Amino acid sequence: VRTDVLCSDPVLTISKTDNKTTAEPDETLNYVITVRNTGTADATNVVVTDNIPSDVDFLSADNGGVRSGNTVTWTFDLTAGSTKTLGMSVRVDDDADDGDTIRNTACVSGGPCNDDNTEIEVEDDDDEDEAKDIAAQLRGKAFEAKKAADNIAKGKDAVAIAKSLILWEVKPLDSETDL
């Protein structure tokens, strides 16, 4: 005689996303954490923890999430076959470095962890500002050259005019990145 004993247990899964692959400083990231009980039994006192990553400032957590230090914790019951959605919002630090990755991990008790990675992109205005400065210098040099040409055309002393011009060194470009 064979007797099969079926055990019913909760089976918890977790997923997490902020629906972004990149973010800029001062941008808000809204994480969505989804916990599922795919088992045949109810789960009681389910604990989800989410460690707040570096390069961000905590803003809020919903559905009873409580922050303690750098961790947000939710505790709830989850019936068999049901899903619970949790949320947490953070803001990317204004001094976050370009290319850094914000790795945010959430774990469910007795089950797995899941993480979300978002790369920081810092818009670099330095190149644009430098280009504007060079353009202004070029406009100034063009004005000086036109004024000198006008004076020479009026018969003024070309040697004295040439000496009064500011000489400007022109450096050859090394690559397209120097444009």
Side-chain angles (χ1 to χ4, degrees), residues 43-87:
T44 57
N45 292 316
V46 175
V47 176
V48 172
T49 57
D50 191 325
N51 294 319
I52 302 167
S54 59
D55 284 332
V56 300
D57 294 318
F58 174 80
L59 297 176
S60 65
D62 66 7
N63 285 320
V66 177
R67 177 185 180 190
S68 177
N70 285 330
T71 303
V72 176
T73 303
W74 293 264
T75 304
F76 53 90
D77 295 336
L78 195 57
T79 59
S82 65
T83 300
K84 179 88 168 179
T85 302
L86 312 170

Side-chain angles (χ1 to χ4, degrees), residues 8-170:
S8 62
D9 288 317
V11 177
L12 302 175
T13 64
I14 190 167
S15 63
K16 178 176 191 155
T17 185
D18 64 3
N19 293 309
K20 293 182 175 278
T21 56
T22 60
E24 296 180 5
D26 291 324
E27 188 172 345
T28 298
L29 302 177
N30 297 302
Y31 291 104
V32 177
I33 304 162
T34 305
V35 181
R36 289 184 175 84
N37 181 355
T38 61
T40 56
D42 295 347
T44 57
N45 292 316
V46 175
V47 176
V48 172
T49 57
D50 191 325
N51 294 319
I52 302 167
S54 59
D55 284 332
V56 300
D57 294 318
F58 174 80
L59 297 176
S60 65
D62 66 7
N63 285 320
V66 177
R67 177 185 180 190
S68 177
N70 285 330
T71 303
V72 176
T73 303
W74 293 264
T75 304
F76 53 90
D77 295 336
L78 195 57
T79 59
S82 65
T83 300
K84 179 88 168 179
T85 302
L86 312 170
M88 181 177 78
S89 296
V90 298
R91 179 174 294 119
V92 179
D93 290 341
D94 61 355
D95 62 350
D97 293 323
D98 190 35
D100 281 358
T101 298
I102 299 170
R103 182 176 183 189
N104 188 236
T105 303
C107 298
V108 62
S109 59
C113 295
N114 190 261
D115 58 55
D116 179 84
N117 295 317
T118 305
E119 185 175 336
I120 298 171
E121 287 187 349
V122 177
E123 192 171 308
D124 187 5
D125 290 338
D126 291 344
D127 291 341
E128 185 178 331
D129 292 342
E130 185 177 355
K132 287 179 182 177
D133 290 345
I134 291 171
Q137 290 175 21
L138 287 173
R139 281 191 298 277
K141 297 299 175 190
F143 177 76
E144 289 177 33
K146 181 175 182 336
K147 187 167 76 171
D150 289 346
N151 284 333
I152 292 170
K154 293 178 185 174
K156 297 193 176 176
D157 184 3
V159 174
I161 292 170
K163 286 181 180 178
S164 72
L165 288 176
I166 299 171
L167 298 178
W168 190 32
E169 177 184 344
V170 177

